[in-house]
Amino acid sequence: MIHFFKKPVSHIALPEKFTYPFHYTPHPLCVLAAEEVKEYIASRKEWQEELALGKMFGVLVVQETGKAMNETTRKETDEGYRIGYLAAFSGNLAGKNLHTYFVPPVYDLLQPQGFFKIEEEQISAINARINELENSASYLESIEKWKTETERAQAELNQAKAELKAAKEARENRRLSSTGISEEEQAALIRESQYQKAEYKRKEKEWKNRLEECEAEVNRFKDEIERLKAERKERSAALQQKLFRQFRMLNAKGEVKDLCTIFEQTVRKVPPGGAGECALPKLLQYAYFHQLKPLAMAEFWWGDSPKNEIRHHGYYYPSCKGKCEPILQHMLQGLEVDENPLLDNVHKDTKLEIVFEDEWLLVINKPAGMLSVPGKAEKIDSVYHRLKKKYPDATGPMIVHRLDMATSGLLLVAKTKEVHRHLQAQFENRKIKKRYIALLDGVMAKAEEATPQPTGKTEKTGRIELPLCLNPLDRPRQIVSEEHGKEAITEYQIITNSEECTRVAFYPLTGRTHQLRVHAAHPKGLNCPILGDELYGKKADRLYLHAEYIEFRHPVYGDIICIHKEPDF
């Protein structure tokens, strides 16, 4: 399965360490390998319709570890080690896991005579039986009969109650008549009351019995459906566990762990569906099994973006966190791997710029690449750490709102708990106005519709409303979800556009995580990611997003404060 480069690569320096898969710039060898894979994919016309829907591919640059023979001395030498690459896709392709150009899966769950397909057929048969019962005429008729009889019972019993009440009132009127009633008449009224109550009880019991019969008929179907669903759930869970035990993942030390063992150490305890079927685990497994040394990796997207997630054709993406991070933590052991660049304190010598300050609050210009508040790794520098040291007597959380680590710009900070509470209330009530400036990676379609002005600016404006929520299988990515997402609203104005990028002003009316980044990149938003956005677009020297303006009411003396700080791009 190893492919050797079509072009000479001896002039390209090999990477010193293996790629950190969750935050990387593709190595030049990976870029060359990916281009060759893209050329191959494009040549397979029979796949194009399926691939247009979108699929992740991966390349792994490897080095042969076997000894080569020197033709002159006829002795083994290390100088003959060749560099090549492996290719893989996530999931399956054209209904199969096995294709000659790509490495095989860790376990082929699609093999016809394998336990997975056999048990899957049994579970499918249960699904068919459930569907048959739920849509059977007898079941639907029994539900309708129960509903109709319940309505009839309610109507008749309500009518009977009304008649009882009317008869009771008539008896009371007779008892209170001016002429009075005899003992014999009084006894007759009592008998009448007793009879009518008994008749109501009899009717009530009759309807209860009839409804119980109707309900029993419905429950006969429901119980069978629930039994089948319970069997399906039990068999599916058992099948998943058995399947995950087949994924015996290697690492560079030669150690083996199955997916169940790997995920036992995680919060969720069990592997998510599709674990072990992504491109990079396949590539590493094949390399280790065939004694190939992994040098560098890259994964890229081919085709349209999925409905909720954001992917762009041909762009490189980091490995997913939910499915792959626990697996790769095991599989990369024994390799010398690049450090997570996000843990590098790039601003250790950077002095925070204070744009505005008084006795109660301040506004700082946060540099791109610095956290607003401490993350999981407490040792990583943050605005909070800096300000807590500078203002040791400040009370409360201090940081009123957050900017993404990669975003630069104005950040509002409170020196007291009371001021913090007051400013947060302004955010919650949408009283604080903010403006961001961004460079979008390309000419936005909506920008082409805008009318250029003599100044070179445009007056194209718009509004984006796409609800957002966290992608639990790929933190910290956000996804668009009408079902689970929270309201997210952004207004925008196109400032200028060129052949390479579009300059946009964003006015967020809500403050969701990655709101501007997703609204820019999503096909239903601007469909043009912010330049340098490696989560939703392409990596660059920085994320070109800057919070340049903030307006708020001072919590103490009530004046409107307007702060402006232009970006340096």
Side-chain angles (χ1 to χ4, degrees):
M1 293 296 176
I2 189 170
H3 307 285
F4 296 103
F5 292 95
K6 298 176 183 177
K7 298 179 180 179
V9 295
S10 58
H11 63 288
I12 301 176
L14 298 182
E16 294 180 4
K17 295 181 180 180
F18 188 76
T19 316
Y20 178 73
F22 305 106
H23 190 99
Y24 65 90
T25 299
H27 187 273
L29 287 172
C30 287
V31 174
L32 281 177
E35 291 306 312
E36 291 190 8
V37 174
K38 290 174 185 178
E39 184 180 333
Y40 174 78
I41 295 170
S43 72
R44 299 299 299 264
K45 303 302 181 185
E46 71 276 20
W47 293 346
Q48 297 314 305
E49 184 176 348
E50 177 183 343
L51 291 181
L53 300 176
K55 181 167 287 293
M56 193 72 79
F57 288 84
V59 292
L60 182 70
V61 177
V62 294
Q63 185 177 41
E64 289 182 322
T65 57
K67 297 286 185 180
M69 184 69 71
N70 185 298
E71 292 300 322
T72 303
T73 63
R74 307 302 298 170
K75 293 182 180 180
E76 290 185 341
T77 173
D78 290 346
E79 294 177 1
Y81 289 180
R82 293 183 297 175
I83 304 298
Y85 66 88
L86 306 173
F89 50 82
S90 292
N92 63 71
L93 179 58
K96 298 192 302 180
N97 275 324
L98 300 174
H99 294 278
T100 54
Y101 189 86
F102 300 101
V103 301
V106 177
Y107 174 77
D108 185 9
L109 53 87
L110 296 181
Q111 49 187 303
Q113 300 306 314
F115 76 89
F116 186 85
K117 292 297 292 183
I118 293 172
E119 181 63 10
E120 190 179 49
E121 288 178 8
Q122 297 296 320
I123 294 172
S124 295
I126 294 174
N127 279 332
R129 178 58 180 155
I130 290 171
N131 185 64
E132 179 185 338
L133 285 172
E134 288 179 332
N135 294 283
S136 70
S138 299
Y139 179 44
L140 298 176
E141 286 170 6
S142 67
I143 292 175
E144 187 60 31
K145 181 180 179 182
W146 186 23
K147 179 181 176 181
T148 302
E149 292 291 89
T150 300
E151 291 172 352
R152 281 187 58 199
Q154 193 65 48
E156 280 197 26
L157 292 175
N158 286 343
Q159 178 64 28
K161 281 183 180 178
E163 291 173 357
L164 277 176
K165 184 177 180 182
K168 181 178 180 181
E169 290 175 353
R171 288 191 296 272
E172 290 300 319
N173 289 336
R174 287 176 64 186
R175 290 190 181 99
L176 297 174
S177 63
S178 57
T179 57
I181 60 173
S182 65
E183 289 184 5
E184 185 177 340
E185 287 176 314
Q186 176 68 21
L189 291 177
I190 293 171
R191 286 195 299 274
E192 179 184 283
S193 174
Q194 291 173 338
Y195 174 76
Q196 289 176 345
K197 287 180 180 178
E199 278 295 295
Y200 178 81
K201 291 291 184 183
R202 181 191 61 76
K203 183 172 291 189
E204 189 178 47
K205 185 176 182 180
E206 180 182 323
W207 272 115
K208 181 182 178 183
N209 291 337
R210 287 170 65 178
L211 292 179
E212 284 178 350
E213 289 177 6
C214 292
E215 185 179 11
E217 181 64 16
V218 171
N219 286 340
R220 186 172 65 82
F221 286 95
K222 282 187 173 181
D223 290 346
E224 178 61 11
I225 290 170
E226 289 305 311
R227 186 194 68 76
L228 288 169
K229 286 183 176 180
E231 181 184 352
R232 178 182 65 185
K233 182 178 180 181
E234 183 178 337
R235 294 181 73 155
S236 295
L239 177 59
Q240 282 281 37
Q241 287 295 304
K242 186 175 180 180
L243 174 64
F244 291 140
R245 295 288 182 196
Q246 311 309 308
F247 283 78
R248 297 175 54 77
M249 318 304 290
L250 289 162
N251 65 21
K253 297 179 180 179
E255 298 167 339
V256 179
K257 285 186 180 181
D258 64 49
L259 291 185
C260 293
T261 303
I262 289 173
F263 279 87
E264 279 174 1
Q265 309 305 315
T266 66
V267 174
R268 62 182 299 139
K269 300 299 182 186
V270 295
E277 297 181 60
C278 293
L280 185 53
K282 289 182 182 180
L283 292 165
L284 289 171
Q285 185 81 355
Y286 187 90
Y288 293 146
F289 193 80
H290 293 276
Q291 290 79 51
L292 299 171
K293 181 182 178 181
L295 298 179
M297 58 73 60
E299 292 179 302
F300 64 89
W301 185 259
W302 183 281
D304 294 338
S305 181
K307 182 179 179 181
N308 293 332
E309 295 181 82
I310 296 171
R311 297 282 189 268
H312 291 273
H313 179 72
Y315 282 25
Y316 293 97
Y317 289 95
S319 297
C320 66
K321 290 292 189 82
K323 291 181 183 179
C324 289
E325 187 172 37
I327 297 173
L328 295 178
Q329 284 175 346
H330 162 69
M331 297 192 81
L332 294 177
Q333 290 182 29
L335 289 182
E336 197 172 357
V337 182
D338 284 332
E339 294 294 325
N340 179 358
L342 296 180
L343 300 180
D344 186 14
N345 190 6
V346 295
H347 290 292
K348 60 183 178 182
D349 298 321
T350 303
K351 184 178 179 181
L352 279 183
E353 178 187 0
I354 298 175
V355 183
F356 172 87
E357 182 175 15
D358 65 15
E359 182 182 350
W360 298 280
L361 56 86
L362 65 149
V363 179
I364 64 111
N365 180 26
K366 186 187 86 67
M370 179 181 283
L371 289 169
S372 297
V373 296
K376 290 182 178 179
E378 285 289 330
K379 64 179 181 179
I380 302 304
D381 196 11
S382 69
V383 173
Y384 176 82
H385 281 127
R386 297 283 190 92
L387 296 180
K388 197 65 179 173
K389 184 181 292 186
K390 184 177 179 65
Y391 304 97
D393 297 328
T395 60
M398 296 187 74
I399 306 298
V400 180
H401 63 117
R402 301 182 186 185
L403 295 177
D404 287 348
M405 183 179 186
T407 305
S408 61
L410 300 176
L411 194 64
L412 187 54
V413 181
K415 294 182 179 180
T416 71
K417 188 180 296 184
E418 293 71 27
V419 168
H420 184 274
R421 189 182 303 117
H422 194 288
L423 291 171
Q424 282 229 311
Q426 290 187 51
F427 270 106
E428 290 170 3
N429 295 321
R430 300 185 184 179
K431 300 295 185 183
I432 291 181
K433 297 179 181 178
K434 294 187 292 179
R435 180 172 68 246
Y436 290 73
I437 298 297
L439 290 184
L440 305 187
D441 187 13
V443 179
M444 193 177 72
K446 292 182 174 61
E448 295 172 352
E449 302 166 7
T451 304
Q453 304 301 305
T455 58
K457 295 186 176 182
T458 72
E459 293 183 353
K460 181 67 179 179
T461 60
R463 182 182 175 99
I464 304 166
E465 298 185 38
L466 293 173
L468 305 177
C469 65
L470 176 69
N471 182 346
L473 291 180
D474 200 6
R475 297 171 181 268
R477 287 181 187 276
Q478 305 294 306
I479 58 174
V480 172
S481 173
E482 295 291 342
E483 182 180 0
H484 303 293
K486 293 182 179 179
E487 180 185 52
I489 305 171
T490 304
E491 293 180 346
Y492 67 90
Q493 178 184 14
I494 299 168
I495 302 172
T496 59
N497 59 82
S498 66
E499 293 182 358
E500 296 181 352
C501 62
T502 304
R503 193 176 188 89
V504 174
F506 285 121
Y507 303 87
L509 303 186
T510 53
R512 307 301 176 202
T513 301
H514 295 180
Q515 177 175 317
L516 302 181
R517 298 166 68 173
V518 175
H519 281 184
H522 197 276
K524 292 184 178 179
L526 300 183
N527 197 28
C528 200
I530 297 171
L531 183 63
D533 189 348
E534 64 178 313
L535 284 181
Y536 308 105
K538 289 180 181 176
K539 188 175 180 181
D541 58 316
R542 63 156 292 177
L543 175 70
Y544 282 79
L545 178 64
H546 177 80
E548 76 154 6
Y549 177 82
I550 189 166
E551 179 182 312
F552 58 94
R553 185 175 295 279
H554 198 285
V556 178
Y557 48 80
D559 290 359
I560 297 296
I561 307 296
C562 304
I563 311 292
H564 180 259
K565 180 67 179 180
E566 289 188 359
D568 57 5
F569 55 81

